[in-house]
Amino acid sequence: MQVTCHTNAKVSFLALDSLRQLAMRFLEKEELAHFKFQKDFLKPFEHAMVHNTNPDARDMVLQCLHQMIQSRGRNLRSGWRTMFGVFAAAAKVPTERIAVQAFDIVQRVNKDNFAQIVEFGSFADLTVCVTDFCKVTKFQRVSLQAIELLKSLVPMMLACPECPLSAAANGGKPVEATATDDPMIRFWFPLLFGFYDVVMNGEDLEVRKRCVLVPLPSAHSLGRRRRHRAES
């Protein structure tokens, strides 16, 4: 892991490329249920994004992950969590091309792999990642696009068959919460907290204003559904 941050760019590039090749082989097979090997195996890429200050090395990290998603995305399970951790870290770097490139990948992943992300339990990680892009202060174009993406997650979530809340949103029977699993907390909480986080901690006034105007209808309808469940 430390080699990916070597001061010699050639050494760090070689380490990242070796990790990419190993990861591509590792992702040839699906991850078994209840195992989290992918999440741990991809951690060196997150470490490199955070600690390697060379923009070219960070660019290579994003290229490696993009290639994995394109070639092995169907086999990703717990690896999505680390992927979004890398992209969230890219939102905090001071280099515009890195932030823009990472956000472009997140947008494509959201469009092409949303159902898979929901199915394998990484919806909250996606939401946290998008929220971090909303709070980018140096590149307003990215943060404005990110708040629109965060807003779009609400209807996407409620329309996704893999989301337990979709049945109730479309007139079906709501899924009951259990002691260990409450769909309201798994899906609504990260979204509403994301809006709250942007309003309270974001610095761009335009982004905060757009955020304040959006979640209120969603919160109102959420409360109405909760009251309906309590009365029935």
Side-chain angles (χ1 to χ4, degrees):
M1 186 181 293
Q2 300 297 328
V3 185
T4 61
C5 300
H6 200 280
T7 53
N8 187 318
K10 291 183 178 180
V11 174
S12 63
F13 283 12
L14 181 61
L16 287 169
D17 187 60
S18 299
L19 281 171
R20 178 193 61 80
Q21 294 179 51
L22 288 172
M24 292 290 281
R25 293 292 301 274
F26 184 74
L27 293 172
E28 285 180 353
K29 296 182 179 180
E30 293 184 0
E31 185 176 55
L32 297 176
H34 309 299
F35 284 85
K36 306 294 181 183
F37 294 136
Q38 292 181 358
K39 176 175 67 73
D40 297 330
F41 193 86
L42 296 175
K43 276 291 184 181
F45 292 101
E46 185 174 5
H47 180 85
M49 179 60 71
V50 173
H51 298 287
N52 194 328
T53 57
N54 185 339
D56 291 330
R58 285 172 165 164
D59 178 80
M60 186 172 183
V61 169
L62 295 177
Q63 290 183 36
C64 290
L65 296 192
H66 189 212
Q67 184 179 358
M68 289 178 217
I69 293 170
Q70 287 186 314
S71 303
R72 304 283 189 264
R74 65 188 180 279
N75 291 335
L76 278 170
R77 299 291 185 272
S78 66
W80 284 117
R81 171 166 293 185
T82 307
M83 291 269 187
F84 290 126
V86 176
F87 300 141
K92 300 178 178 67
V93 305
T95 309
E96 183 175 10
R97 67 182 173 94
I98 300 301
V100 170
Q101 183 180 350
F103 184 67
D104 285 344
I105 297 174
V106 171
Q107 286 182 303
R108 286 193 291 270
V109 165
N110 181 69
K111 179 182 177 181
D112 299 335
N113 305 93
F114 185 79
Q116 185 182 359
I117 290 165
V118 170
E119 180 181 0
F120 295 112
S122 290
F123 178 78
D125 304 294
L126 168 63
T127 306
V128 170
C129 175
V130 175
T131 301
D132 282 336
F133 279 103
C134 292
K135 295 186 292 181
V136 171
T137 56
K138 293 183 64 177
F139 319 119
Q140 189 188 56
R141 180 170 65 90
V142 173
S143 57
L144 290 176
Q145 289 180 325
I147 194 64
E148 295 302 318
L149 179 57
L150 187 64
K151 288 158 52 178
S152 74
L153 292 181
V154 175
M156 289 183 69
M157 172 189 75
L158 296 177
C160 180
E162 286 76 11
C163 176
L165 301 178
S166 63
N170 292 288
K173 183 179 179 180
V175 176
E176 295 299 326
T178 66
T180 58
D181 181 32
D182 187 345
M184 288 286 187
I185 292 182
R186 278 200 294 131
F187 292 95
W188 273 115
F189 178 77
L191 268 175
L192 296 179
F193 186 82
F195 288 119
Y196 164 82
D197 190 18
V198 174
V199 171
M200 297 302 294
N201 300 311
E203 296 183 14
D204 190 292
L205 182 60
E206 179 63 24
V207 173
R208 294 169 65 190
K209 183 173 71 173
R210 293 191 186 189
C211 188
V212 168
L213 295 175
V214 173
L216 295 180
S218 301
H220 175 68
S221 60
L222 172 63
R224 190 168 55 208
R225 282 196 293 275
R226 275 196 173 277
R227 288 195 300 272
H228 176 73
R229 287 172 57 182
E231 292 168 359
S232 60

